[in-house]
Amino acid sequence: MICSNVVSSLETDPAESSLADADLARRVTAAAPGEALAAETELYRRLAPRVELYGLRHLRAEQAAADLVQQVLVLTIERLREGRVREPERLASYVLGVCRMVVLDLKRGEGRRKRALERYAADVPMAESSSSPRVDLDRLASCLDRLHERERSVLVLTFYSERSATEVAAELGLSPGNVRVIRHRALGRLRECMSGELSAP
Amino acid sequence: MSAACGTPLGLSLLVDYWLAELAPADEERVEAHLLGCASCGYELRSLVNLAGGIRRVTRKGAVRAVVTRAFLERVAADGLRVREYRVAPGGSVQCTVAPEDDLVVARLSAGLEGIGRVDLAICDDSGRERERVRDIPVSGAHGEVVFLPRTASLRAAPAGVDRLKLLAVEQGAERLLAEYIFVHTPSPAGPARG
């Protein structure tokens, strides 16, 4: 059962949390299968949000990104257990490769998803990925109000449905370079406002 | 909190990555970094959350902005109910906002070719200016301004008349391009103007 080992709110083991990713990977490889659960859990905790971002970027859907996290980390930890990750110090590159492979599979439809999960998921610990705090929407609306009109238009057109500078520029009759400048300035001002540093309208 | 990054990815690079604007080699470099760096991942996550927030407040009609025709097509494709009022220069329209409306837009047609700066003045029935939206983005080629007011403000507005004026601002002087009259009737539960 895929969810049988999902562990919510896992406590961080101080001994593991001080280790580098590569050290954790070596620890998993060196141990008998399933005997380095603390290291596996710590790796999962660290890698899940990073893989989730990769998934959001390439799949543009929360649920698909969550599926990707499970599949990538199940495969990665299983490969570590099997000693098939030859350069643990290059774990990020390895995970990136697995991400690409799984995204391709997800985009194709079924692929190895079910097979991999059926084969490995029951033995691998899973933690919830830790997203950063949600945005205060009232404050965000107020901060957007403080932007210049062009800045607000560019942000809304850009982020409502992830449009590139070239696309937004074509809609507004501006150059892509101009849109990029406005976008960068607007995001900076918006972030300042959200963190309480921007007082002047 | 994550350990600091020795070679942090800048905001522009993260935005470019998120919007798929990077060349493949640069994208690969950024992705390899992000998968190994909790600190930069946190920055990207914050940006993604902010982007998601902008999407949500826009869908709620909580943002006033000048948008575009293509934007209206996207929100309609997303299933939002958009009430549109198209008005010609000098024209007048009866308008309201219904309980089921997500967004309301004013489409103000105007000759905007070659004008450097355009302001939108929101005036009461006597012509007194209540609010000025400065230097709005306009594309002369499109021949209209698509103005998206806050839906909640419209819901709270009593019956009355608003005059919207498009003004060309050139060399310190301003010139009226066009005026539009909106005769607002609240939806059944709305307030009455005193």
Side-chain angles (χ1 to χ4, degrees):
Chain A
M1 181 68 187
I2 293 171
C3 295
S4 61
N5 282 335
V6 171
V7 183
S8 303
S9 308
L10 285 170
E11 293 291 329
T12 299
D13 184 335
E16 308 296 336
S17 63
S18 63
L19 296 175
D21 293 352
D23 295 328
L24 290 168
R26 287 191 195 93
R27 193 167 280 197
V28 174
T29 298
E35 293 299 310
L37 278 177
E40 291 176 2
T41 300
E42 177 63 15
L43 263 184
Y44 194 105
R45 190 188 67 78
R46 289 185 193 183
L47 293 174
R50 306 178 203 170
V51 174
E52 183 186 33
L53 283 169
Y54 182 96
L56 288 171
R57 161 67 177 76
H58 289 273
L59 300 167
R60 301 288 185 192
E62 297 274 353
Q63 187 54 52
D67 288 347
L68 180 77
V69 170
Q70 276 201 15
Q71 293 172 56
V72 167
L73 295 186
V74 163
L75 282 170
T76 299
I77 290 174
E78 194 55 39
R79 296 289 190 273
L80 285 169
R81 286 178 178 179
E82 295 168 350
R84 292 168 64 184
V85 180
R86 295 200 181 107
E87 298 176 277
E89 63 279 3
R90 299 189 67 237
L91 183 65
S93 294
Y94 184 86
V95 175
L96 177 57
V98 177
C99 284
R100 286 190 182 128
M101 179 185 74
V102 176
V103 162
L104 277 177
D105 279 353
L106 283 172
K107 286 181 174 174
R108 282 189 199 119
E110 284 299 317
R112 70 200 310 142
R113 176 172 177 268
K114 287 184 179 171
R115 290 197 304 277
L117 284 172
E118 284 165 7
R119 185 171 167 197
Y120 298 126
D123 297 333
V124 176
M126 296 177 188
E128 287 183 344
S129 67
S130 57
S131 298
S132 54
R134 295 194 77 81
V135 174
D136 177 342
L137 296 184
D138 289 338
R139 183 169 181 84
L140 177 58
S142 167
C143 287
L144 282 166
D145 264 354
R146 297 183 183 203
L147 299 180
H148 297 301
E149 207 59 39
R150 285 170 184 261
E151 294 174 342
R152 187 163 54 248
S153 291
V154 164
L155 290 191
V156 166
L157 294 178
T158 297
F159 291 112
Y160 178 80
S161 52
E162 319 292 6
R163 298 282 145 169
S164 69
T166 303
E167 292 168 310
V168 172
E171 289 185 26
L172 290 177
L174 302 171
S175 72
N178 195 357
V179 167
R180 291 169 67 86
V181 168
I182 294 170
R183 189 177 73 191
H184 181 72
R185 191 174 56 214
L187 274 174
R189 285 164 53 81
L190 191 62
R191 282 157 55 109
E192 281 178 16
C193 180
M194 291 299 285
S195 64
E197 294 168 21
L198 185 69
S199 53
Chain B
M1 187 53 199
S2 50
C5 173
T7 53
L9 304 175
L11 176 62
S12 286
L13 193 58
L14 291 173
V15 174
D16 290 349
Y17 168 68
W18 185 250
L19 296 173
E21 292 182 342
L22 294 177
D26 293 331
E27 178 168 301
E28 184 168 341
R29 184 173 59 81
V30 168
E31 286 182 337
H33 183 98
L34 286 170
L35 280 166
C37 178
S39 174
C40 290
Y42 187 86
E43 282 298 307
L44 178 59
R45 184 74 222 195
S46 298
L47 173 67
V48 171
N49 285 354
L50 198 59
I54 292 171
R55 189 159 46 248
R56 286 197 294 278
V57 294
T58 303
R59 289 178 66 92
K60 283 172 61 179
V63 179
R64 185 197 73 187
V66 172
V67 293
T68 63
R69 213 176 296 175
F71 171 84
L72 296 182
E73 289 167 6
R74 291 197 288 274
V75 297
D78 285 345
L80 295 193
R81 177 163 172 140
V82 183
R83 180 179 293 269
E84 293 186 23
Y85 291 105
R86 296 172 190 239
V87 197
S92 171
V93 66
Q94 299 282 333
C95 59
T96 190
V97 52
E100 65 272 21
D101 293 333
D102 295 300
L103 305 174
V104 179
V105 292
R107 298 180 65 163
L108 313 173
S109 64
L112 302 165
E113 204 76 57
I115 299 173
R117 174 180 152 180
V118 176
D119 285 3
L120 173 64
I122 302 170
C123 309
D124 62 19
D125 195 20
S126 69
R128 187 173 57 87
E129 187 172 314
R130 284 205 317 263
E131 192 176 357
R132 173 74 69 112
V133 186
R134 298 176 193 281
D135 195 17
I136 62 176
V138 293
S139 169
H142 296 152
E144 70 172 350
V145 170
V146 184
F147 181 58
L148 173 71
R150 284 180 218 90
T151 308
S153 302
L154 294 177
R155 289 195 199 288
V161 176
D162 286 333
R163 294 174 181 270
L164 270 55
K165 297 177 182 177
L166 287 178
L167 304 160
V169 181
E170 295 159 326
Q171 297 170 339
E174 56 188 40
R175 171 169 59 89
L176 180 66
L177 293 170
E179 183 171 340
Y180 313 84
I181 298 174
F182 287 80
V183 183
H184 177 72
T185 304
S187 54
R193 189 169 282 180

